[in-house]
Amino acid sequence: MTDTDRRHVRVYYSIVNDERFADIYHDARHLGTWLQLLLVADAMFPAASPLPAYVDSDSVKVLVEAGLIEEMPHQHFRVHGLEAERDMRSHSARNAAAKRWQSDRTPTRGGSAMLAEQEQEQEQEQSRSSGAPASRNGTDPVAETLFGIYGGNPSQTVMEWGDRLANEYGAETAARAIGKAAEAGRDRLMSRAEGSLKLVARAADRTEEAAERARLREKRKPVTDRVAVLEPEKASKVLDGVAEKLGFRRKDETLAP
């Protein structure tokens, strides 16, 4: 069997308890649709994938709402998490190649030293793949918030979701929304946080649209609606004053020199 025949995608056991799969994992139709789309997206990576006509349209909507896939223009889509997975695979492959190269170059090194180095690299790789923040120094509000909620490193899926919310709504805003959602517990934490962010964003959009409509209405008003009109008596007095200054006199409601 050739390497081409052995091409594959990875599906991790973690989806069983993943918040985004809460309504997907136990529905064979939705889960099957996600797997079909994952196979297509992996084959097309890194380009966006065309949405196959044979997939269930109702399941696609559910997957979009769950944050598992993202609809793109012209009937294309992306699978969330696939880019991180491919990057991790590439990184692991580079590490493996580097280990083999180093081993070939230094055959006399002690086995214990090599083992210690490999264990250290494995720990670093696990830290990277878990999505843990590089340091808890306050530079990543979302990571800090999630670290506090979970009491340690959250799953890679949760961290990816948090990064996406930070990119879309701003890190500080996303962190506040996640912290607020955590007050009701960790069940479906990220989906509830995203829902609240979308509501706030829609409210802001509606406020901005209302202000723009009011501005346009004001702009369309007739000039007479915006210019003060003098009463006849006041207008007559003003006209008399102007005529007097110019050396004219009024006669039979007309001006004459």
Side-chain angles (χ1 to χ4, degrees):
M1 182 177 292
T2 66
D3 290 340
T4 302
D5 295 329
R6 294 173 60 88
R7 293 176 61 183
H8 65 283
V9 296
R10 295 180 181 180
V11 178
Y12 293 93
Y13 288 110
S14 59
I15 69 172
V16 177
N17 298 316
D18 193 312
E19 293 176 344
R20 288 188 288 183
F21 282 87
D23 299 324
I24 308 300
Y25 180 75
H26 298 287
D27 189 305
R29 183 165 53 107
H30 297 338
L31 184 62
T33 300
W34 173 77
L35 181 58
Q36 288 176 320
L37 294 177
L38 177 62
L39 289 166
V40 175
D42 189 77
M44 295 293 295
F45 185 85
S49 309
L51 188 65
Y54 55 77
V55 295
D56 185 80
S57 58
D58 292 336
S59 294
V60 171
K61 293 178 182 178
V62 173
L63 294 173
V64 171
E65 292 174 356
L68 292 173
I69 69 170
E70 177 184 357
E71 289 184 308
M72 307 290 290
H74 310 299
Q75 295 294 310
H76 282 61
F77 73 97
R78 291 187 188 277
V79 174
H80 285 301
L82 178 59
E83 183 176 0
E85 165 67 19
R86 294 292 293 262
D87 288 344
M88 186 175 69
R89 280 194 239 167
S90 298
H91 186 78
S92 298
R94 288 194 297 270
N95 279 351
K99 288 177 184 177
R100 289 194 298 270
W101 180 80
Q102 185 68 20
S103 177
D104 292 341
R105 283 194 46 152
T106 56
T108 59
R109 292 184 62 184
S112 60
M114 288 288 291
L115 180 61
E117 180 179 337
Q118 291 175 0
E119 289 177 348
Q120 182 179 6
E121 290 178 351
Q122 289 174 356
E123 290 177 358
Q124 293 174 351
E125 173 65 20
Q126 290 173 357
S127 176
R128 283 189 293 269
S129 63
S130 68
S135 62
R136 301 186 67 242
N137 57 7
T139 59
D140 189 342
V142 171
E144 289 290 304
T145 300
L146 291 172
F147 192 96
I149 292 171
Y150 286 91
N153 295 336
S155 68
Q156 181 179 349
T157 299
V158 170
M159 286 301 301
E160 288 176 357
W161 203 335
D163 290 340
R164 179 169 59 83
L165 295 183
N167 291 334
E168 292 179 5
Y169 301 99
E172 295 289 347
T173 301
R176 285 195 297 269
I178 294 170
K180 185 67 175 177
E183 296 177 2
R186 296 192 309 191
D187 183 44
R188 300 180 63 82
L189 169 65
M190 300 305 289
S191 61
R192 288 187 287 107
E194 183 170 12
S196 66
L197 287 168
K198 287 181 177 179
L199 286 175
V200 173
R202 282 197 292 267
D205 290 341
R206 286 195 293 268
T207 300
E208 184 176 349
E209 290 172 359
E212 179 64 15
R213 287 195 297 269
R215 187 187 68 80
L216 292 175
R217 283 197 300 269
E218 182 67 22
K219 188 175 181 181
R220 294 192 194 103
K221 281 184 178 181
V223 176
T224 54
D225 290 349
R226 290 176 285 169
V227 177
V229 179
L230 293 176
E231 298 176 0
E233 294 182 2
K234 291 182 179 180
S236 179
K237 290 180 180 180
V238 171
L239 191 58
D240 288 343
V242 173
E244 184 178 350
K245 289 181 180 180
L246 296 176
F248 286 80
R249 58 185 176 79
R250 296 195 65 187
K251 181 180 180 180
D252 300 328
E253 302 299 329
T254 61
L255 291 177

